[in-house]
Amino acid sequence: MSKIVDLIAGARPNFMKIAPIIRELESRQQEGQKISYRLVHTGQHYDHNMSASFFEQLGIPQPQVNLDVGSGSQAEQTSAIMQGYEKILFQKPSQFCLVVGDVTSTMACAITAQKMGVPVGHVEGGIRSGDRGMPEEINRIATDVISSYFFTTSETANLNLFKLGVSKERIFFVGNTMIDTLLANEEKFAKPVLWNQLGLSEKNYFVITLHRPNNVDQTDGFFRILNAIAEGVRGLPVIFPVHPRSAKSIKELGSIPPVFVMVEPQPYLEFNFLVKHAKAVITDSGGITEEATVMGVPCMTMRDSTERPETITIGTNELIGTDPDALKPFLDKLFAGDWEKGGIPEKWDGRAGKRIVDQLEQILCN
Ligand code: UD1
């Protein structure tokens, strides 16, 4: 009998991580493999720009289940996802639950599945920022403590899991599914309309993304960061795809320096076109530091910690901190042409999805 694997996706950074796993499962199904999947969208992100556009561009099929939880506090979202997913598992149990990343949907579904006796695999398990002030860190810790299997992106993640007491038989160092998606789509990156409208040219503009509560929820601090960026970019335009959380603070601020070109959250292919050709990226995202590393684009992270240290030790990323004054020396280094070139972390080679499905076959079919 066919085994069902639930694939959980809820928020923007999940969609690129599940796409290569779906592709691999589908291609093996055609070869007669006995694992089918059920795609569960929790509805944590629901705007077209934050969700549907990724499904369209990455060729992800329509979810079989949509929990439609929508916005809410951390506890509201967590409980709505748990109640919704528990009902689905009661109606039709699955044999495995695969969660990705560190968003609220990841943790909520992992706990629900494991309590219902469904083993959980955590894709991107084991990474840690050490900062428990971030909801994502709590989600990572909670998910890893209860998961049965771990599909990891780095040796650092493996070590963190060993420290947690996880036995090595349950850890599979597979690489990075987000990079699978990046490499599979690089040829299709699309020049956004604003490129010609603004007369952009290669390496003559910046891209920024800021949406962490620590950086954007307090308007004073957010304004100081924006001012420091505006002062440091030597008049180059700064393309700023504005996340809904940051849009709220910008509305309160009234206006921001004119060097920023505020645009809607970009679709995947347009966003990565912009990153690939940018002089540098300034961000507080984790995933973007990985993509910038693989594309060899200088990246400055406006955070005090990172759960992805290999983007710094091997890649093009630098940890700036959250004090806006710290930016200047890094921008000076960039404009002096002294940014380190960087390399590609081990197994970030476009084949993580294949390795994950190989292991799922071992776990479920043997
Ligand atoms: C979530 C993830 C974060 C990830 C980010 C990417 C958690 C804890 N955080 O943070 O790890 O980097 O997504 O975007 O899971 N909103 C909309 N439309 C949407 C989605 C959200 O307007 O489609 C609004 C919400 O109403 C809320 C704000 O945006 O006011 C923030 O959304 P939320 O899901 O709470 O978390 P993010 O900050 O997006």
Side-chain angles (χ1 to χ4, degrees):
M1 224 184 56
S2 176
K3 309 275 176 145
I4 303 171
V5 173
D6 279 344
L7 301 177
I8 309 298
R12 185 171 59 178
N14 290 164
F15 307 135
M16 39 294 225
K17 293 175 192 171
I18 53 154
I21 304 172
I22 292 177
R23 203 174 47 240
E24 191 59 28
L25 282 169
E26 287 194 339
S27 94
R28 294 199 200 186
Q29 254 171 12
Q30 282 166 8
E31 292 160 11
Q33 183 216 55
K34 297 263 181 300
I35 300 179
S36 60
Y37 71 89
R38 175 169 65 180
L39 179 55
V40 178
H41 191 328
T42 65
Q44 183 182 341
H45 282 177
Y46 47 83
D47 283 352
H48 182 268
N49 286 342
M50 301 293 285
S51 174
S53 88
F54 291 83
F55 278 70
E56 289 160 14
Q57 289 198 333
L58 302 178
I60 305 172
Q62 283 304 308
Q64 283 96 329
V65 175
N66 198 326
L67 303 178
D68 278 326
V69 298
S71 297
S73 68
Q74 293 286 320
E76 284 166 346
Q77 283 183 326
T78 305
S79 53
I81 295 166
M82 290 177 86
Q83 289 179 45
Y85 185 44
E86 187 183 52
K87 273 200 197 107
I88 300 298
L89 285 177
F90 270 129
Q91 281 161 10
K92 185 169 183 188
S94 61
Q95 281 69 54
F96 199 88
C97 172
L98 200 64
V99 296
V100 297
D102 56 17
V103 303
T104 300
S105 305
T106 309
M107 174 193 69
C109 289
I111 293 175
T112 307
Q114 202 64 270
K115 283 193 169 181
M116 301 267 298
V118 178
V120 172
H122 186 196
V123 175
E124 204 187 89
I127 64 174
R128 295 286 184 274
S129 68
D131 176 0
R132 292 194 179 199
M134 293 174 64
E136 293 82 1
E137 184 74 352
I138 307 294
N139 294 339
R140 289 179 200 119
I141 294 169
T143 304
D144 284 346
V145 164
I146 51 105
S147 288
S148 309
Y149 300 98
F150 303 86
F151 302 98
T152 61
T153 51
S154 68
E155 287 291 5
T156 316
N158 299 341
L159 288 176
N160 289 335
L161 291 169
F162 292 146
K163 275 188 231 157
L164 202 64
V166 179
S167 63
K168 67 175 187 318
E169 294 74 32
R170 297 196 287 137
I171 303 171
F172 309 110
F173 178 22
V174 293
N176 192 324
T177 58
M178 198 170 204
I179 300 308
D180 288 11
T181 294
L182 189 80
L183 297 176
N185 286 281
E186 207 166 4
E187 307 260 286
K188 292 185 241 155
F189 288 171
K191 192 185 276 187
V193 177
L194 64 89
W195 184 275
N196 289 338
Q197 283 172 346
L198 296 171
L200 296 180
S201 59
E202 286 206 15
K203 309 293 167 200
N204 262 320
Y205 63 92
F206 284 76
V207 173
I208 72 159
T209 80
L210 293 170
H211 74 276
R212 297 266 160 225
N214 281 354
N215 281 334
V216 305
D217 283 359
Q218 308 297 323
T219 48
D220 286 1
F222 187 24
F223 196 61
R224 282 185 60 224
I225 295 178
L226 293 175
N227 266 334
I229 295 171
E231 278 166 22
V233 294
R234 324 281 207 264
L236 293 183
V238 183
I239 315 302
F240 184 7
V242 183
H243 184 281
R245 177 184 285 283
S246 318
K248 282 186 192 151
S249 294
I250 291 174
K251 208 166 164 200
E252 265 181 59
L253 282 167
S255 70
I256 64 173
V259 74
F260 292 103
V261 181
M262 286 191 282
V263 293
E264 292 284 308
Q266 293 291 290
Y268 183 81
L269 299 175
E270 282 78 359
F271 180 73
N272 281 295
F273 181 95
L274 286 170
V275 170
K276 185 172 179 180
H277 299 291
K279 183 161 190 69
V281 183
I282 304 175
T283 188
D284 59 8
S285 153
I288 292 171
T289 68
E290 299 182 335
E291 292 166 338
T293 282
V294 170
M295 290 191 273
V297 175
C299 180
M300 299 175 212
T301 295
M302 299 300 296
R303 285 174 46 191
D304 293 318
S305 60
T306 177
E307 59 289 334
R308 295 161 163 95
E310 60 284 350
T311 62
I312 298 171
T313 53
I314 301 171
T316 52
N317 185 27
E318 291 274 13
L319 203 57
I320 310 300
T322 44
D323 176 2
D325 295 337
L327 249 181
K328 190 176 177 306
F330 288 95
L331 285 165
D332 289 345
K333 182 161 117 176
L334 176 75
F335 280 100
D338 292 338
W339 207 269
E340 269 176 47
K341 276 190 104 47
I344 312 277
E346 190 184 348
K347 295 197 189 177
W348 291 19
D349 58 2
R351 291 164 50 210
K354 283 192 173 58
R355 296 187 187 108
I356 289 170
V357 176
D358 284 345
Q359 292 306 333
L360 285 177
E361 281 179 0
Q362 293 290 325
I363 295 165
L364 289 167
C365 303
N366 286 339

